[in-house]
Amino acid sequence: MSTKYFDHIASNPLLPEVLDAMMPYFKEQYGNPMSMYDLGMNAKQAIDTAREQVAALINAKPSEIIFTSSGAESNNFALKGMALARQGDGKHLIISKAEHHSVMNTARSLEKQGFVVTFVPVDKYGMVDPETVKKSITKETTVISITHASSEVGTIEPIKEIAAIAGEHKIGFHTDAVAAAGNMPVDVKDLGVDALSLSAHQFYGPKGAAAMFLKTGQRILPLIYGGVQEGGRRAGTENVPAIVGMGKAAELALANLTGRMAHVRQLRNRLTEGILKIEKVHATGHPQLRLPGLASFVIEYIEGEGMLLLLLAKGIYAASGSACTSKALKASPVLLSMGVPMSMAHGSIVFSLGIGNTAEDIDCCTEEFPKIVKRLRDMSPFAKEGWGAIAAEDGSKEGA
Amino acid sequence: MYSAKLMDHFTNPRNVGEIADADGVGMEGNPTCGDTMKLFIKVKDDVLTDVKFQTFGCGAAIAVSSMITEMAKGKTLADALAITKESVAEALDGLPPQKMHCSNLGADALRKAIEDYRSRQAQG
């Protein structure tokens, strides 16, 4: 049975060219980039090249790229580092209710340190209204962070508009572009952002390498203190092979972006069309302004984990925001923030497509998935009579 | 994550469905994780002659439902009431710790179904 991998938002396979570029830095080129001899200088040179490649992907200057270990680290660094650097000006932050855990939980940790956080709502598509952000600004506001594109529902936020508002008020603006960068055009100059997070394994690079763009002149305090790596802003011996891999993956993503987007968009539309033929299925996220490879739904009367297990039995790999599939046993805060009732959020399913997927993969999924839905609905106490008592509890509406 | 036995009960669940003329029905739900189990029983001479289920929930919730129908069928009401969450989990070769409380609703649903049967009897 062949693997049909539709969970590219979780991680991507490494491209062979990327691995080839990394290999010498695992083997012969093992030097520490801080060392003055040739082994060190070669490693330093490799990091500089990667920095240029990553900068080019998002139209930044190489000096504006700080390498980190993960998207989560970049998000922690941006929010915490900017908030702490600016705390003399105020202690108010604004984020949305539909942020990734690494932004959400960083904001919550700052609350415990005396910062005040406003969590702006999203609409039914998961979209932030720039006007709401504007109205939330106080004299104390120093940092705003809004995700670029949602990894759960795919919605692309109006980053340019929000960045402009932040700019007018001299507020630092960060966007979590981990799901976006490398998968759609991301141009920091055009967007006008002060800081932006991106991660290599989201665009066929290795895990363990990520970056933060920090606009020239922006103040930040490090998360990790030590040596003068990354301009003193992120200490620690560089993960040279992973950084080299990130650079190569960024170069390939930039060169092939249009083709990759067209490929996954076409497949996504084919998949969405197939899945929406099933009754009582709702697409989540914005219908047009969305990541090209991401298709997300809620399937009424059944639960996500059951779907994932039965899909897996057919070689199909997907994801869900249902409570049962989360290790924390909590339904997706993103779906709940969009007004999706708890009962329906349990039926979340997310397919994120990649460059290795084919039309045959999609057709297999659209053939198997309706059978899986039927099988689980045949077991569900709600399938025949609707949500009934459950709906009264959490406000679900029939046919919502 | 799940034992082979649990996966077997999830992929080939026993006794799925409604009993239209059930003698007792028990519904149990966990509001946090959303798992909901509905159990239907037929009783003759104090013995569970048929047990069926409908479940909304994860793999563990469905497997627990399937297992409890097998465990309860043929038992006297008193013996059926002695089935515990722990014994259901044990019969499935264990449940992941986080699912032990969330998805292990079978024993409670069965108890409710038997209570329903008894209150129907009492009303004559």
Side-chain angles (χ1 to χ4, degrees):
Chain A
M1 189 170 55
S2 71
T3 294
K4 288 153 277 280
Y5 184 74
F6 300 142
D7 199 10
H8 290 81
I9 205 79
S11 196
N12 287 287
L14 197 67
L15 285 173
E17 302 95 303
V18 174
L19 181 61
D20 289 346
M22 293 168 71
M23 282 315 279
Y25 298 91
F26 282 117
K27 294 159 107 181
E28 309 86 42
Q29 298 295 338
Y30 49 79
N32 186 320
M34 300 288 275
S35 302
M36 52 143 308
Y37 41 70
D38 55 352
L39 281 175
M41 285 191 295
N42 291 346
K44 173 78 168 60
Q45 180 59 48
I47 289 177
D48 288 345
T49 302
R51 202 182 303 283
E52 285 165 20
Q53 290 164 322
V54 171
L57 177 65
I58 55 171
N59 195 26
K61 291 182 227 158
S63 60
E64 295 173 319
I65 300 298
I66 305 170
F67 286 114
T68 66
S69 67
S70 64
E73 185 190 331
S74 294
N75 284 337
N76 274 256
F77 185 17
L79 208 57
K80 207 171 255 183
M82 288 169 81
L84 293 176
R86 289 166 173 256
Q87 62 181 330
D89 302 333
K91 295 183 95 172
H92 178 238
L93 317 173
I94 301 172
I95 70 167
S96 88
K97 285 184 176 169
E99 295 299 317
H100 187 264
H101 293 302
S102 56
V103 170
M104 186 64 77
N105 290 340
T106 302
R108 294 213 184 282
S109 85
L110 286 165
E111 274 184 323
K112 287 182 188 142
Q113 294 173 45
F115 285 82
V116 176
V117 183
T118 299
F119 300 86
V120 293
V122 294
D123 68 11
K124 63 177 177 172
Y125 296 127
M127 189 76 80
V128 173
D129 179 0
E131 277 305 307
T132 313
V133 175
K134 196 173 180 175
K135 284 179 194 145
S136 306
I137 292 173
T138 72
K139 280 181 195 160
E140 291 277 307
T141 312
T142 54
V143 182
I144 300 174
S145 177
I146 304 290
T147 190
H148 195 333
S150 165
S151 59
E152 277 189 58
V153 297
T155 301
I156 298 167
E157 302 293 342
I159 295 305
K160 200 171 169 175
E161 288 80 352
I162 301 169
I165 291 166
E168 282 165 28
H169 293 80
K170 306 230 178 323
I171 295 166
F173 181 72
H174 164 256
T175 187
D176 166 10
V178 168
N183 293 302
M184 58 174 266
V186 172
D187 180 327
V188 293
K189 286 208 184 79
D190 179 57
L191 292 172
V193 298
D194 299 312
L196 178 145
S197 305
L198 67 161
S199 179
H201 76 117
Q202 293 288 323
F203 47 89
Y204 309 96
K207 296 159 191 70
M212 190 179 75
F213 156 79
L214 186 70
K215 194 173 165 185
T216 307
Q218 281 295 319
R219 287 173 290 158
I220 196 149
L221 288 185
L223 281 186
I224 301 171
Y225 290 89
V228 295
Q229 291 92 352
E230 300 301 298
R233 293 172 296 189
R234 203 273 188 184
T237 300
E238 298 89 338
N239 184 354
V240 182
I243 290 171
V244 167
M246 181 172 192
K248 186 67 186 174
E251 181 189 270
L252 292 168
L254 183 62
N256 301 308
L257 193 59
T258 315
R260 286 185 186 180
M261 285 176 67
H263 177 75
V264 293
R265 183 181 288 125
Q266 187 194 359
L267 295 181
R268 183 203 63 198
N269 291 345
R270 192 183 182 106
L271 179 66
T272 303
E273 205 176 294
I275 287 184
L276 288 178
K277 283 183 187 154
I278 308 170
E279 275 184 29
K280 295 277 185 187
V281 166
H282 315 277
T284 58
H286 198 281
Q288 284 89 39
L289 301 172
R290 59 186 296 112
L291 285 171
L294 195 131
S296 55
F297 309 91
V298 288
I299 317 290
E300 290 201 57
Y301 313 133
I302 58 176
E303 189 280 325
E305 192 199 87
M307 290 188 254
L308 295 187
L309 289 170
L310 293 176
L311 281 167
L312 205 54
K314 298 290 174 188
I316 300 168
Y317 292 67
S320 168
S322 89
C324 296
T325 54
S326 85
K327 296 274 185 283
L329 295 178
K330 279 184 183 156
S332 155
V334 173
L335 291 175
L336 299 181
S337 72
M338 289 160 56
V340 175
M342 182 84 89
S343 50
M344 281 202 218
H346 293 308
S348 145
I349 186 109
V350 182
F351 301 95
S352 45
L353 312 183
I355 54 177
N357 293 139
T358 63
E360 290 73 43
D361 292 346
I362 300 296
D363 293 346
C364 167
C365 186
T366 53
E367 195 189 317
E368 294 298 337
F369 192 61
K371 294 185 216 164
I372 288 169
V373 171
K374 183 181 183 309
R375 185 166 159 184
L376 290 169
R377 281 184 177 167
D378 283 347
M379 280 190 240
S380 168
F382 303 119
K384 220 161 79 182
E385 294 160 18
W387 289 111
I390 296 272
E393 272 170 38
D394 72 4
S396 313
K397 285 190 200 81
E398 282 307 303
Chain B
M1 178 167 120
Y2 289 141
S3 72
K5 198 157 182 191
L6 190 151
M7 281 307 292
D8 175 46
H9 275 266
F10 167 66
T11 43
N12 308 296
R14 284 66 147 172
N15 306 307
V16 178
E18 278 180 272
I19 300 177
D21 58 341
D23 298 321
V25 180
M27 196 147 163
E28 184 64 27
N30 182 311
T32 322
C33 72
D35 287 348
T36 306
M37 190 178 293
K38 202 171 178 181
L39 217 63
F40 304 84
I41 56 170
K42 286 293 280 180
V43 183
K44 199 180 174 195
D45 301 331
D46 217 39
V47 169
L48 290 166
T49 54
D50 200 7
V51 185
K52 279 192 171 13
F53 80 90
Q54 288 182 323
T55 291
F56 168 89
C58 65
I62 289 170
V64 161
S65 312
S66 167
M67 178 52 84
I68 194 133
T69 60
E70 281 212 322
M71 290 170 78
K73 234 174 170 174
K75 279 203 166 65
T76 62
L77 295 185
D79 285 349
L81 284 170
I83 299 172
T84 62
K85 288 180 178 228
E86 288 70 26
S87 60
V88 177
E90 208 174 296
L92 288 166
D93 290 341
L95 281 177
Q98 78 272 22
K99 303 273 180 178
M100 193 62 201
H101 296 290
C102 177
S103 313
N104 197 353
L105 304 168
D108 291 335
L110 179 62
R111 186 175 39 76
K112 283 192 174 175
I114 292 172
E115 280 168 9
D116 180 47
Y117 163 73
R118 284 182 172 161
S119 73
R120 288 188 201 191
Q121 292 298 106
Q123 285 165 17

